[in-house]
Amino acid sequence: MESVRIKSYAKLNLTLNITGVKDGFHLLDSIVASVDLYDLIVLKKRRDKLVSISMHGCGSESIAYEDNNAVKAAEMFIENYGTCGADITIYKNIPMGLGAGGSSADSAGVLNGLSKLYGTCDRIGLKILADRTGSDTRYMLSGGYARLFGRGNEVKPIDSRLKLDFLLLAPKERISTAQCFKTFDSIGDCGGGSQQTEDALVKGDKYSLFLNNALAPAAKKLSKDIQTAYDELSAFDPLAVNMTGSGSGVYAVFENAEYCAYALSRYRGKFAPYRLKTHFPKKI
């Protein structure tokens, strides 16, 4: 095998609660879901141990080589397993700065791709490398429904096949994650709802979902676009409206695919809309 192609999927936070602070980092209790928006990653073997990368789409061409987490993931894999390098091409469809896990998806996709390319089957080792590239990269290795704890590196899979339909709005103004957490600290709303949402997912009951993001009040203070996105989606009377990550993506959950499609057809706001649904990855 000389090359592989990997689809690495985005995520949405259904809940995001802050449970405390340890060693300068906020501790999370968050339920996440994979959605059918993905970056396509193509990896080709090299004969040396170097890594090259080419980024395409969503403004990713501006990411400096030394700041690219996908490169860091590849270099750690090569050092850890003693393999040769790779030429990596990433075709981005997950907008940057959306809170949908695009950077982590790319890192996880590179780790999964290199493992397949070079025939390693060490899932535990990949999880350890994933933790070194980003807080939720470990989750991104497998995706699906999960509950994340700690800094996001403690992953509890949730056994659910509940299909959800989303309309995601993507404001152009990016929210600084660090500034969002700093603003959150001055507000002090820790959120809630993770256990109720987990129970609803297990039961397959979309009407009992309790979606919440403790960072949303802080994000709204930092960007008027966040509140505008909430208001625009709420006008369609969906089951719920929520923000993902630390922003700037805001999404609505609809009762069914038809109503979601209707909302998309009627949306006249200024933000780029994405109609999404839950994605259930194959078990690795």
Side-chain angles (χ1 to χ4, degrees):
M1 183 181 296
E2 294 299 315
S3 66
V4 297
R5 296 163 65 88
I6 299 290
K7 294 179 179 179
S8 200
Y9 290 85
K11 59 82 180 172
L12 295 179
N13 294 84
L14 303 185
T15 68
L16 196 162
N17 308 310
I18 310 298
T19 60
V21 178
K22 182 179 180 181
D23 299 328
F25 293 96
H26 290 81
L27 302 179
L28 310 179
D29 177 3
S30 177
I31 291 180
V32 288
S34 295
V35 292
D36 61 343
L37 177 65
Y38 63 84
D39 289 348
L40 177 63
I41 304 173
V42 181
L43 304 98
K44 297 181 179 180
K45 282 183 177 178
R46 293 180 64 104
R47 295 184 178 181
D48 53 31
K49 290 186 174 293
L50 299 179
V51 174
S52 73
I53 192 163
S54 178
M55 306 288 294
H56 304 276
C58 297
S60 60
E61 297 85 356
S62 64
I63 302 176
Y65 181 92
E66 60 273 14
D67 296 330
N68 197 314
N69 282 338
V71 172
K72 297 175 183 177
E75 292 175 340
M76 286 191 296
F77 181 95
I78 294 164
E79 180 182 1
N80 190 72
Y81 292 104
T83 66
C84 289
D87 295 318
I88 303 170
T89 304
I90 298 180
Y91 300 94
K92 285 201 68 65
N93 297 297
I94 306 172
M96 297 188 297
L98 196 64
S103 176
S104 297
D106 292 343
S107 298
V110 165
L111 291 174
N112 279 328
L114 288 173
S115 179
K116 187 175 181 180
L117 188 65
Y118 284 108
T120 63
C121 300
D122 180 15
R123 300 304 298 175
I124 295 177
L126 287 186
K127 291 176 181 179
I128 294 173
L129 294 180
D131 288 342
R132 294 166 58 189
T133 66
S135 60
D136 55 2
T137 308
R138 174 185 285 241
Y139 157 73
M140 288 293 196
L141 287 173
S142 54
Y145 283 119
R147 189 167 176 176
L148 311 183
F149 298 96
R151 293 173 58 188
N153 58 334
E154 300 173 34
V155 181
K156 174 189 174 184
I158 298 175
D159 185 12
S160 175
R161 302 292 291 184
L162 179 62
K163 297 179 180 179
L164 296 176
D165 294 279
F166 306 94
L167 182 58
L168 172 70
L169 299 184
K172 290 185 178 180
E173 183 178 5
R174 297 182 183 180
I175 303 294
S176 164
T177 298
Q179 187 61 43
C180 192
F181 275 102
K182 183 177 180 180
T183 304
F184 162 83
D185 287 337
S186 67
I187 296 175
D189 177 15
C190 294
S194 285
Q195 189 58 54
Q196 179 177 335
T197 295
E198 179 180 350
D199 293 342
L201 290 174
V202 172
K203 294 176 182 177
D205 180 7
K206 69 179 68 176
Y207 300 100
S208 295
L209 293 172
F210 184 89
L211 305 191
N212 183 65
N213 189 326
L215 295 176
K220 290 176 182 179
K221 288 179 68 70
L222 295 171
S223 172
K224 294 181 179 179
D225 284 350
I226 302 296
Q227 184 63 62
T228 299
Y230 265 84
D231 293 341
E232 290 179 344
L233 289 172
S234 296
F236 291 107
D237 195 24
L239 295 179
V241 178
N242 197 24
M243 186 180 79
T244 183
S246 58
S248 58
V250 178
Y251 65 88
V253 181
F254 287 89
E255 188 170 359
N256 53 50
E258 292 75 20
Y259 193 14
C260 188
Y262 171 81
L264 175 62
S265 71
R266 295 290 179 174
Y267 177 67
R268 299 293 184 268
K270 65 179 181 178
F271 308 128
Y274 294 81
R275 181 186 168 191
L276 306 173
K277 58 184 178 181
T278 41
H279 171 74
F280 301 101
K282 296 178 180 179
K283 291 184 178 181
I284 300 176

